[in-house]
Amino acid sequence: IFDQGFWASCARLLRPMARFNMLRCALFVLLQRGGLAVHSSSAEKTQRGVDGDHRVIVRFTDHSDSFEHEVEKYKKSKGVVRAKPLKQLRMAVVTLQSEEAQDEFIDELDGDEAVELAVPDTWVYADDFKSPRRAAPETELKPVRSLAEVLEHRRQCSNNPACHSRGLTGMCCPVPDGTMLSCCSMHLEPTTVALQSYHATYVSVTGEGAISARAPGMLAESKLEMMVHDDESVSFRTVFGAYLSAAETGWVTAVARDIGEREKFTLVFNRENGTFALGTSEGRFVTVEPTGYVLANRPTSDLWEGFIISKVEGKNQRFPNDPGVNQLWGMNSWARNDIDAPEAWRMWTGELGAGIVVGVIDTGIDYTHEDLREQMWVNPKEIPGNGIDDDGNGFVDDVHGADFANNDGDPLDDQLHGTHCSGTIAGVGDNGVGIAGVAWRGVRLMALKFLSADGSGRSSDAIGAIDYAIAHGAKILSNSWGGGGSSSAMRVAIERAEKAGLLFIAAAGNSGSDNDVEPHYPSSYEVDNLISVASTTSTGELSSFSCFGNTSVDIAAPGSQIYSTAPGNKYQFLSGTSMATPHVSGVAALLWMYRPQLSMQQVKQVLFDSVEKSKLLEGRIVTGGLLNAKNALETAWAFEPPRPPVHAPRAIAFVDEDPAVGTYSGVIKVTAAADESDIEYYRVYFVSAAGFQLEPFGGKMPATGERELLLDVNTSFSPPLYAVGLVAVSGRSTGEMNAKSDGVPQVVLEDYGVPELNAKGASWSGDSDLRKGWIAGTLSVERAGHEKSVSHYNVYWHGSGGRGELAGKVPAVGFSEPTCTGNACELIKQSRSGDTYMFERQPYTDEEEAIIAMSGPGTATVVQFTTEDYYDTLSIGGMQLSGDMTDSVPLPIPLPEGPASIEWASDASINDKGWIFTLVQGGARASFALNATKPLAEGFEVVAAYGRNEFPGEGILVALADFDRKMPPSPAFAPVSISFVDVDPGEDVVSGVAIVEQAPGALDAGVSAYRVNFANARGHPVGHGWTVSANDTSALQVTIPATAVPHGAVQLIARAKSDAGLAEGFVSTELVDIRPVAPGNVTWSSDRDMRAGRVSGDLVITPASLEVGIVSYVAYWIEGGKRVSEAGRRAPRGYGAPAVIHFGFGTAAEGSSILVVSAYAWGEMSEGVSVEVPDLDDARRLDAAAQAPL
């Protein structure tokens, strides 16, 4: 307060006066500046004498080196009771024993070069307080107030009506940092506006006072300063200092320099089109003719008399240069139904703040948009485009957020909704492009997509988005969605956000109903961090579609016809509480960047306390008012932010003692702070990999002075999603530290898990290094049935002495064999052959449910499928199958990498034949490559592990063998595969061509030929064999002539041969002696073609009992037992599925029956199955109908 200008003012006013009188001058100037009044009387002097409170204010010169040293000297002076330094003001207040001591002290300081001023500390009072000057005994007088008390009183919000009406408390005029709130003034300040006519032209003036409305755009001369009078009339002052006047002649001019009745206009609002008519003092209305003349001669108002009054930048406003800003009525509208964004932008746009992350839980965001890309959140721990989950959060390349609808890291908006909401929150302002969001700069938009392209989504995905936002540092969650009823899981997720300090802003809904009666979720959850938002129109009324609720909907914001960003660098108007919600989210972000020390609850309270009250909203929503950005920024200064302790605990330690993977138990040890003077308690929280505080663990631990505090975890717990550690913070009643505070200790959660399963098996490919004493090759590991408790497999050298050194590790991938849950699991037939599973449910019954869960990648192939259409469904890989799919099978459906499931459900009505599908699962085997090395033992041991803990049982042992060129070929050079198809129809006789695929590098390793043999189940050769020379082709052909199958032979094997002999390693294929089998049956649907000689229908072929070797089923027209012509052919579908041949409309009937035979590689069978195909033309249909029994 007491700056150089202050004292200079005193010197100019009272230069001749004595030094003592300088105080009265000072208080007089203070009166002019701060609204204080000086009162002095004999009664006051008497009272001061009674109290014995005689104080002197001492101000030191700027060149005084150490005024604190001077203050210490004053304490030793005669008559001084105490001396208190005011460092920031370079002042001191000295209290003395008596008035005489006071005068002597002032005289003593006169001439001290270190002292600029020394004056009595005189009493002052505020104007609105009663001064104790009544004629009563001195002993009855109440103590008068000090200067400091009076100053504090005047600064109180409660003593400034405009501030008090907003519900502000504490200090307002000014706030603690010196800012003077606009509500401290009792007069409305002029607003700069422009008048746009019905003809889309702007009213402009000249320096001579001429007025016209011909300008198609806003000019500097179009700006008018509008003043509101006590009688609610308005006047318009031009940029030339004159006022608009309505002359008797009917002309409107701008020459008057003072305001009279002709310079006052009444505003009449037209709710239908949102325009204002200007009424004159004579009851006429201002109009603009098509020629541009502005007149005031109309007795009534119509279209030409309507004006759009637009706010333009005035001294208390700031506007961005974005061309679409004029479309943003919700930000700025003279009708006062906006959020006062330009007034807020004059104070703060966020560009100088530390930033804030706003999570937009919606359809995603077009993060390439010209008005959004600079505002996008960027995951600091993710490397864009490398295809790797760098931060280990489960999403690959989640640079700007994540897509929970499609479970990937790309939240690009494929709809519109999320991009539109994002533009309102934080479209880049003042960049000359598009629009401006509420918060121009500083906001980082985290795209959290859970709604798909059709605008729908699942609550579980929304919950995932909430948890992701908490773990990655969002402070505000904008939720322009709802429906689906109440969900305890959703409510708990919002409560988790509350515990982490996030504000959850939600749309109230668009059904136009009362949420007090019919709740709308998530906006109707009673959680302390939630704000429910209604929508208003440009007239200030609730939008017709907006939900409301006197106890359940908190605040209103503009939501009808809102202009904002759209995907593809476009812009669009949309309406809904969805559009109102981002206005609130944007103001919350702007406010929180303005006062980052405020708590989440304080930010919420500021938003509520700062609304513009409206009779249109009273009784409809909790606050009864409209969101106001300017009021919010001003109101924020009335809140004292939390004051947490400055001393943090020194350490936190935790060791898991629970052997189950994913659960923890043990004792948490917190080492207390060295200085606990400002600490009341300690608390433990989970913390994410990004370093953000999640939910608390346990309760508060009082600071007792003990060096170590123990939190005993008696029962096992599972950490929340994204939690990777624990953090210990200190707290007190005025605030609590958080995980990002300086010096806060953390400990990583290391799971003491023990694998439940070991690897199923392991095999060695053989030595590919033919140097003696060296080996190289590949160890194949068959993964555990499920890897829920496996993080990797340890591969050890193993010999006669047991386990040796670690040779390496094979990472787990989350592999899981198919498992079934549900009431239909026992009814579904399941089988496995090699890597292929088969699932069959034929026929099925009512109300069956089953979920077959497994890991991908893989392929499910539907080979038979007939269910009740629409109601009975099988869901595979994102496809929902239902109905008769006979013509579509076999249908292969890929399963993506990662967790996958196949879901079956039938209702309680019609049933059908059912379904069969096969599943080939990838990832069941892993490879461990051993580069050329000298072996440390005779074999390997494979054991599953989780972290540092290993499977407690025995490991899988694999023997190794060192091969060189003097030995038969190593198994590493065994053939890759062998295939064979019998083409001989004779029983127990086979013939055909065996295909042997050579191993890479086999020729260089000395392989000269391959031997093919019949073999028994153990792989031992039986009967005949054939040899083929190796060459530089990948596949070799071995012709096997018609040969009787030896006794016991069940497979063909192929082995490599070199000059040193025949290898022991081999590959095999099943030996199938193909025997011709006719189709099981054939049926004809009936003729659908009404013309003679033409047929149309379906030929349904029941497959042969053994389809091995059948190439196709061939249908022939027959007449008189002889084949006439081929009618069609179909390949077998396998798994007992019928083959169907469709006869289209107009097919020529070349016989009376059809014969179906099985065709093999060697030819067709002569015998088969037949069915009559009657040609039913119209005449025969009528005849058949006439003969039918009644």
Side-chain angles (χ1 to χ4, degrees):
I1 297 173
F2 302 99
D3 56 13
Q4 291 295 329
F6 180 97
W7 302 113
S9 299
C10 289
R12 285 194 300 272
L13 287 170
L14 299 172
R15 191 180 302 277
M17 299 180 68
R19 188 170 186 175
F20 176 82
N21 288 331
M22 194 66 129
L23 173 64
R24 292 185 179 275
C25 170
L27 296 179
F28 177 78
V29 176
L30 190 60
L31 167 65
Q32 305 304 313
R33 292 188 172 192
L36 301 181
V38 178
H39 304 284
S40 183
S41 68
S42 59
E44 294 170 358
K45 293 179 182 179
T46 303
Q47 181 60 35
R48 290 197 297 271
V50 170
D51 291 344
D53 189 4
H54 305 278
R55 296 189 296 184
V56 174
I57 298 173
V58 182
R59 178 177 173 87
F60 298 92
T61 59
D62 290 339
H63 59 267
S64 175
D65 294 333
S66 177
F67 75 89
E68 294 182 17
H69 177 69
E70 298 292 330
V71 175
E72 290 299 317
K73 289 195 304 182
Y74 298 159
K75 293 179 181 179
K76 302 175 182 179
S77 298
K78 181 181 177 180
V80 173
V81 177
R82 57 184 176 272
K84 181 180 180 180
L86 305 176
K87 296 180 181 180
Q88 293 179 335
L89 300 176
R90 294 189 64 78
M91 294 173 58
V93 177
V94 182
T95 304
L96 295 109
Q97 294 174 343
S98 64
E99 188 171 359
E100 291 76 14
Q102 172 184 287
D103 293 340
E104 290 177 4
F105 183 72
I106 292 173
D107 291 338
E108 181 183 335
L109 295 180
D110 192 10
D112 189 337
E113 294 183 356
V115 177
E116 180 179 311
L117 179 68
V119 294
D121 187 4
T122 310
W123 296 96
V124 295
Y125 306 89
D127 275 334
D128 54 348
F129 269 62
K130 299 296 182 181
S131 301
R133 291 179 287 180
R134 55 186 177 167
E138 294 179 357
T139 55
E140 294 183 10
L141 294 177
K142 296 181 179 180
V144 293
R145 296 175 182 268
S146 67
L147 170 63
E149 290 171 325
V150 173
L151 282 172
E152 182 173 346
H153 177 78
R154 287 293 295 171
R155 294 172 65 183
Q156 294 297 317
C157 305
S158 58
N159 293 306
N160 292 269
C163 298
H164 181 65
S165 66
R166 294 185 190 168
L168 302 184
T169 59
M171 293 185 180
C172 288
C173 306
V175 293
D177 76 331
T179 302
M180 187 71 70
L181 303 187
S182 64
C183 59
C184 298
S185 170
M186 292 303 297
H187 302 285
L188 291 173
E189 297 182 357
T191 303
T192 304
V193 301
L195 302 179
Q196 186 180 13
S197 74
Y198 169 78
H199 311 292
T201 56
Y202 284 87
V203 173
S204 59
V205 300
T206 66
E208 292 76 26
I211 298 179
S212 65
R214 297 186 179 92
M218 191 184 302
L219 306 175
E221 294 81 2
S222 303
K223 295 183 179 180
L224 303 170
E225 198 173 69
M226 186 177 69
M227 287 152 284
V228 181
H229 303 297
D230 292 339
D231 61 359
E232 296 189 356
S233 64
V234 299
S235 295
F236 297 94
R237 186 172 185 266
T238 72
V239 293
F240 302 105
Y243 294 90
L244 299 192
S245 299
E248 283 186 52
T249 60
W251 290 94
V252 178
T253 63
V255 294
R257 294 289 169 174
D258 297 309
I259 299 175
E261 290 303 312
R262 293 188 180 281
E263 286 72 46
K264 292 183 177 181
F265 299 87
T266 302
L267 297 181
V268 181
F269 183 58
N270 185 339
R271 292 187 179 275
E272 293 183 3
N273 58 21
T275 62
F276 291 87
L278 304 182
T280 70
S281 60
E282 296 181 350
R284 302 279 179 173
F285 290 92
V286 178
T287 186
V288 173
E289 296 188 347
T291 57
Y293 290 114
V294 182
L295 305 173
N297 59 3
R298 297 299 171 91
T300 60
S301 65
D302 205 339
L303 294 178
W304 288 8
E305 289 71 49
F307 293 88
I308 296 174
I309 303 180
S310 303
K311 284 183 181 180
V312 295
E313 185 166 327
K315 64 181 181 180
N316 294 318
Q317 299 170 312
R318 181 182 177 188
F319 281 81
N321 62 7
D322 306 285
V325 166
N326 289 336
Q327 306 275 17
L328 307 180
W329 73 263
M331 305 281 190
N332 176 48
S333 166
W334 186 82
R336 298 184 180 178
N337 299 319
D338 57 63
I339 68 170
D340 279 346
E343 289 79 2
W345 293 334
R346 172 61 69 183
M347 302 166 61
W348 180 251
T349 62
E351 50 201 333
L352 300 178
I356 191 170
V357 179
V358 177
V360 181
I361 302 179
D362 213 290
T363 62
I365 301 176
D366 179 3
Y367 47 76
T368 67
H369 196 286
E370 60 187 2
D371 246 353
L372 296 174
R373 57 185 173 230
E374 293 181 30
Q375 300 284 68
M376 294 306 301
W377 173 75
V378 176
N379 187 345
K381 294 191 175 183
E382 196 74 19
I383 300 173
N386 67 352
I388 299 173
D389 180 13
D390 300 290
D391 58 0
N393 66 358
F395 293 95
V396 174
D397 290 337
D398 54 323
V399 178
H400 299 302
D403 180 351
F404 299 87
N406 299 299
N407 196 35
D408 61 48
D410 185 4
L412 187 67
D413 190 357
D414 55 5
Q415 209 253 5
L416 161 64
H417 198 263
T419 299
H420 194 278
C421 293
S422 299
T424 299
I425 297 170
V428 179
D430 213 33
N431 64 343
V433 173
I435 53 95
V438 178
W440 288 7
R441 301 282 182 177
V443 168
R444 291 295 172 259
L445 296 167
M446 180 186 289
L448 302 168
K449 176 178 173 61
F450 89 102
L451 299 175
S452 59
D454 64 0
S456 65
R458 291 182 178 272
S459 295
S460 58
D461 292 332
I463 292 170
I466 293 171
D467 287 333
Y468 182 99
I470 295 170
H472 293 83
K475 296 290 287 181
I476 298 168
L477 298 180
S478 191
N479 300 270
S480 292
W481 52 275
S486 179
S487 163
S488 60
M490 177 64 69
R491 177 180 53 78
V492 170
I494 298 172
E495 289 173 349
R496 284 198 297 272
E498 177 197 1
K499 292 174 183 177
L502 277 72
L503 194 60
F504 190 93
I505 302 172
N510 296 334
S511 62
S513 56
D514 186 348
N515 286 357
D516 291 354
V517 179
E518 299 178 15
H520 169 274
Y521 297 100
S523 63
S524 290
Y525 290 118
E526 295 182 6
V527 186
D528 288 342
N529 66 329
L530 192 147
I531 296 177
S532 178
V533 185
S535 168
T536 58
T537 68
S538 59
T539 65
E541 300 172 305
L542 275 178
S543 303
S544 60
F545 52 76
S546 179
C547 290
F548 56 91
N550 191 38
T551 63
S552 58
V553 178
D554 299 309
I555 196 170
S560 290
Q561 285 298 298
I562 302 302
Y563 190 61
S564 188
T565 47
N569 291 333
K570 297 178 182 178
Y571 301 83
Q572 188 170 329
F573 286 96
L574 289 179
S575 297
T577 53
S578 288
M579 284 60 254
T581 299
H583 281 89
V584 181
S585 301
V587 172
L590 195 69
L591 163 64
W592 220 337
M593 289 189 290
Y594 190 55
R595 295 281 331 262
Q597 301 87 357
L598 295 181
S599 68
M600 176 269 294
Q601 286 294 344
Q602 287 178 315
V603 171
K604 177 180 176 180
Q605 195 61 49
V606 167
L607 293 174
F608 288 6
D609 289 351
S610 61
V611 299
E612 281 289 331
K613 297 290 184 178
S614 168
K615 291 183 179 179
L616 297 173
L617 299 176
E618 289 180 359
R620 308 295 299 281
I621 59 176
V622 174
T623 60
L626 182 70
L627 174 76
N628 191 282
K630 175 181 74 73
N631 291 352
L633 296 187
E634 292 180 342
T635 303
W637 286 107
F639 284 75
E640 181 72 20
R643 293 182 294 107
V646 297
H647 300 102
R650 284 176 286 180
I652 180 173
F654 174 74
V655 177
D656 179 26
E657 299 174 355
D658 191 327
V661 172
T663 58
Y664 299 77
S665 65
V667 177
I668 299 174
K669 298 179 181 179
V670 176
T671 304
D675 183 351
E676 289 187 323
S677 59
D678 60 346
I679 300 175
E680 296 176 5
Y681 65 87
Y682 299 96
R683 196 160 196 187
V684 176
Y685 287 86
F686 292 103
V687 67
S688 70
F692 293 99
Q693 187 170 301
L694 305 178
E695 58 192 72
F697 184 81
K700 297 177 181 178
M701 296 182 288
T704 60
E706 295 290 331
R707 183 180 183 278
E708 194 171 73
L709 296 92
L710 303 180
L711 181 60
D712 194 356
V713 184
N714 296 319
T715 58
S716 297
F717 68 90
S718 296
L721 184 64
Y722 301 112
V724 298
L726 297 172
V727 60
V729 301
S730 55
R732 58 183 178 183
S733 59
T734 58
E736 184 179 276
M737 305 178 85
N738 61 58
K740 291 289 186 178
S741 300
D742 292 338
V744 168
Q746 297 185 13
V747 62
V748 174
L749 277 174
E750 186 173 347
D751 192 354
Y752 177 71
V754 177
E756 299 174 8
L757 300 175
N758 197 12
K760 282 191 168 185
S763 59
W764 173 245
S765 65
D767 181 16
S768 60
D769 189 311
L770 300 182
R771 295 175 295 172
K772 189 171 184 178
W774 291 76
I775 62 171
T778 301
L779 179 70
S780 177
V781 178
E782 187 176 0
R783 299 181 183 277
H786 67 75
E787 292 183 325
K788 297 177 183 177
S789 60
V790 179
S791 61
H792 63 279
Y793 301 88
N794 287 329
V795 180
Y796 293 96
W797 294 100
H798 189 279
S800 57
R803 182 181 295 178
E805 294 182 12
L806 181 69
K809 299 180 179 181
V810 176
V813 295
F815 175 79
S816 176
E817 293 178 341
T819 57
C820 185
T821 57
N823 61 17
C825 290
E826 294 183 356
L827 305 174
I828 297 174
K829 295 180 181 178
Q830 302 180 41
S831 59
R832 181 178 183 179
S833 176
D835 292 334
T836 301
Y837 298 85
M838 188 172 74
F839 299 86
E840 177 182 354
R841 183 70 184 113
Q842 287 186 325
Y844 62 89
T845 57
D846 293 346
E847 296 183 321
E848 294 186 359
E849 292 183 355
I851 298 177
I852 302 170
M854 77 293 293
S855 62
T859 301
T861 302
V862 180
V863 293
Q864 289 190 33
F865 196 92
T866 307
T867 67
E868 183 189 6
D869 193 19
Y870 184 77
Y871 296 101
D872 301 340
T873 61
L874 185 69
S875 299
I876 306 177
M879 295 180 62
Q880 189 175 77
L881 311 180
S882 186
D884 187 350
M885 299 186 62
T886 303
D887 293 341
S888 302
V889 296
L891 176 63
I893 302 174
L895 299 176
E897 188 174 348
S901 65
I902 298 174
E903 301 182 16
W904 159 245
S906 66
D907 71 350
S909 60
I910 302 170
N911 308 135
D912 216 315
K913 297 177 182 177
W915 44 262
I916 300 175
F917 70 86
T918 62
L919 174 67
V920 178
Q921 189 179 22
R925 291 177 177 78
S927 296
F928 172 72
L930 181 69
N931 296 324
T933 185
K934 292 185 176 182
L936 302 182
E938 297 83 27
F940 284 133
E941 181 182 3
V942 180
V943 59
Y946 187 88
R948 292 181 294 179
N949 300 323
E950 295 183 336
F951 179 72
E954 295 183 357
I956 305 296
L957 301 181
V958 180
L960 301 177
D962 180 15
F963 280 80
D964 59 36
R965 292 185 180 274
K966 296 181 179 180
M967 303 170 63
S970 163
F973 303 109
V976 174
S977 65
I978 180 175
S979 60
F980 173 74
V981 176
D982 178 24
V983 296
D984 191 302
E987 187 173 352
D988 294 331
V989 176
V990 296
S991 67
V993 176
I995 307 297
V996 178
E997 185 178 353
Q998 301 183 86
L1003 282 175
D1004 295 335
V1007 174
S1008 58
Y1010 294 92
R1011 180 72 173 172
V1012 176
N1013 288 93
F1014 293 114
N1016 60 20
R1018 295 184 177 182
H1020 297 158
V1022 293
H1024 296 280
W1026 300 267
T1027 300
V1028 60
S1029 298
N1031 56 45
D1032 55 2
T1033 60
S1034 60
L1036 304 175
Q1037 295 187 354
V1038 180
T1039 300
I1040 299 178
T1043 305
V1045 177
H1047 177 71
V1050 295
Q1051 57 183 335
L1052 276 179
I1053 64 172
R1055 293 174 290 173
K1057 183 178 181 299
S1058 69
D1059 293 342
L1062 192 63
E1064 294 183 2
F1066 63 87
V1067 292
S1068 64
T1069 185
E1070 183 181 5
L1071 181 63
V1072 179
D1073 180 12
I1074 294 178
R1075 302 170 186 177
V1077 181
N1081 194 16
V1082 61
T1083 59
W1084 171 251
S1085 61
S1086 74
D1087 181 16
R1088 294 189 290 266
D1089 193 315
M1090 295 179 292
R1091 295 171 297 174
R1094 303 289 177 177
V1095 295
S1096 175
D1098 296 328
L1099 192 72
V1100 182
I1101 305 166
T1102 303
S1105 58
L1106 180 64
E1107 286 191 311
V1108 177
I1110 296 179
V1111 177
S1112 62
Y1113 295 106
V1114 185
Y1116 291 96
W1117 288 105
I1118 58 175
E1119 188 65 48
K1122 296 182 179 180
R1123 299 184 185 187
V1124 177
S1125 63
E1126 184 177 322
R1129 63 177 63 209
R1130 284 290 182 273
R1133 292 179 171 178
Y1135 301 99
V1140 180
I1141 299 177
H1142 299 287
F1143 291 79
F1145 190 78
T1147 301
E1150 301 181 16
S1152 59
S1153 301
I1154 289 180
L1155 172 69
V1156 180
V1157 299
S1158 300
Y1160 293 84
W1162 45 262
E1164 299 175 2
M1165 294 182 64
S1166 58
E1167 298 179 355
V1169 292
S1170 62
V1171 62
E1172 290 187 2
V1173 182
D1175 178 14
L1176 298 179
D1177 58 22
D1178 280 345
R1180 278 181 285 181
R1181 288 177 194 273
L1182 294 173
D1183 183 59
Q1187 296 181 22
L1190 295 177

